[in-house]
Amino acid sequence: MQFGAVLQTNPPASRTVALAKLAEQHGFSHVWTFDSHLLWQEPYVIYSAILAETRRVIVGPFVTNPATRDWTVTASVFATLNEMYGNRTIVGIGRGDSAVRVTNGKPTTLAELRESIHVIRELGNSRSVEYNGATLQFPWSRGSELDVWVAAYGPLALKLTGEVGDGFILQLADVDIAAWMIQTVRDAAEKAGRDPMSIKFCVAAPFYVTDGSEEALVHARNQCRWFGGMVGNHVADIVAKYGANGAVPQALTDYIEKRTGYDYNTHGKADNDHVDFVPDKIVDRFCLIGSADEHIAKLEQLKALGVDQFAGYLQHDNKEETLRVYGETVIPALSETVSAKSDTAKR
């Protein structure tokens, strides 16, 4: 299993770069960032600084959308970074949430999302693509490699992911819901004639390591409760379109009954004041909270489902310590071990 760290690009940018470097030092393979240009600093600029000061981590948005950036510009950014730093970028993409809603816009259609994935991927992989009635290609790009992973919750978005995504991003760590959604994506891939096992699966959620005490658990829950509010935005869209029963697991829809609104000014922040409707049991199910052993146990369950990467949100007051414990304890426990020497002959 691989591990990613999901950062917000809060100022100063040097802090974001420092956390990215620390994540690499502790064995994380990916550094992802939010992509919401009004709420936080422009991440695409910061990617260049992260890549310049690291050696191995892969960077990308978690997630961008087809509405706020021209698709050819998005592809050009990542093809350029790949030329500069050696194919160390990735794109997470969805229909759009905070980046479009803060400007009073709406998420894009699934048809637009599908087309944008195709355009970004083809150009980002140094290939030509049909776009707006013309055949386009970057004449300066050679050998660029760019995967596009799709963030989705609803049935049609999951279907699209199985049909065209290089990977699937599920932004919650509930084991039962993850099992249902991963199978839904795989079924869609198979029906589309794709190898369902070729799709990478990434589960993303806040992760907070505690000393195992009840007091620490209460604090960690309050630091991570914002996540249930963020997920609730997407669930509310699904319920509005499909109703509360049948489209997605009931465990995902029940908890938003008392949801009254959402303030994007505190989006993704531990002090979000519009998440009182999120109960403790949802925080526990959606996030990874508790001792290192409890993290390992839940990650083992997710790994058994076929999850290739866990991406942890670092929007809390325990960033450095969480990275340290993962680097020293959790990541080694989920990694393949190699012996320096194996005894092959009898003594």
Side-chain angles (χ1 to χ4, degrees), residues 76-320:
S76 181
V77 167
F78 292 104
T80 300
L81 290 173
N82 281 344
E83 189 278 326
M84 294 172 67
Y85 301 106
N87 288 332
R88 290 171 54 204
T89 66
I90 191 169
V91 170
I93 193 168
R95 293 176 57 213
D97 183 30
S98 63
V100 294
R101 296 185 198 269
V102 170
T103 58
N104 291 330
K106 295 180 179 180
T108 59
T109 66
L110 288 175
E112 290 171 315
L113 177 59
R114 181 187 295 270
E115 186 180 0
S116 72
I117 292 167
H118 177 65
V119 170
I120 292 169
R121 181 165 49 211
E122 294 308 294
L123 290 175
N125 282 278
S126 301
R127 298 190 290 261
S128 64
V129 69
E130 298 299 313
Y131 180 69
N132 282 348
T135 301
L136 305 179
Q137 187 169 0
F138 299 137
W140 44 265
S141 179
R142 297 288 187 277
S144 177
E145 297 177 5
L146 185 68
D147 279 357
V148 181
W149 292 11
V150 187
Y153 289 105
L156 293 179
L158 294 171
K159 178 175 180 291
L160 179 149
T161 302
E163 292 170 347
V164 303
D166 295 311
F168 167 46
I169 295 172
L170 172 57
Q171 296 176 85
L172 57 83
D174 182 285
V175 176
D176 294 334
I177 294 173
W180 180 84
M181 290 195 172
I182 287 172
Q183 190 59 53
T184 300
V185 170
R186 283 179 173 161
D187 289 346
E190 188 169 19
K191 289 179 180 178
R194 302 181 67 195
D195 176 5
M197 305 308 292
S198 69
I199 300 172
K200 297 295 185 181
F201 291 96
C202 174
V203 162
F207 61 145
Y208 198 113
V209 179
T210 75
D211 61 9
S213 68
E214 183 62 27
E215 181 181 3
L217 177 60
V218 170
H219 178 77
R221 282 172 175 157
N222 289 331
Q223 286 287 305
C224 299
R225 200 175 304 275
W226 65 267
F227 185 67
M230 185 186 81
V231 173
N233 296 330
H234 302 286
V235 176
D237 285 344
I238 294 170
V239 170
K241 183 172 183 178
Y242 298 101
N245 300 310
V248 296
Q250 195 167 348
L252 188 59
T253 59
D254 280 352
Y255 84 98
I256 68 164
E257 290 179 354
K258 296 181 180 179
R259 179 180 181 271
T260 58
Y262 192 80
D263 183 2
Y264 277 94
N265 288 307
T266 53
H267 181 63
K269 296 181 179 180
D271 60 353
N272 190 312
D273 56 359
H274 282 67
V275 296
D276 290 344
F277 69 93
V278 182
D280 287 349
K281 65 178 181 179
I282 287 294
V283 180
D284 293 345
R285 290 182 66 171
F286 284 12
C287 305
L288 269 77
I289 297 174
S291 67
D293 286 342
E294 289 173 306
H295 284 242
I296 291 168
K298 190 167 186 177
L299 287 167
E300 289 283 11
Q301 290 181 283
L302 292 169
K303 183 179 180 181
L305 295 177
V307 173
D308 299 285
Q309 181 182 150
F310 170 69
Y313 286 95
L314 273 177
Q315 285 67 60
H316 55 62
D317 62 1
N318 202 33
K319 298 177 179 63
E320 286 84 358

Side-chain angles (χ1 to χ4, degrees), residues 10-33:
N10 293 304
S14 58
R15 167 76 165 147
T16 304
V17 176
L19 285 170
K21 292 170 65 176
L22 188 61
E24 180 180 73
Q25 290 166 13
H26 285 303
F28 287 74
S29 61
H30 290 66
V31 172
W32 305 90
T33 73

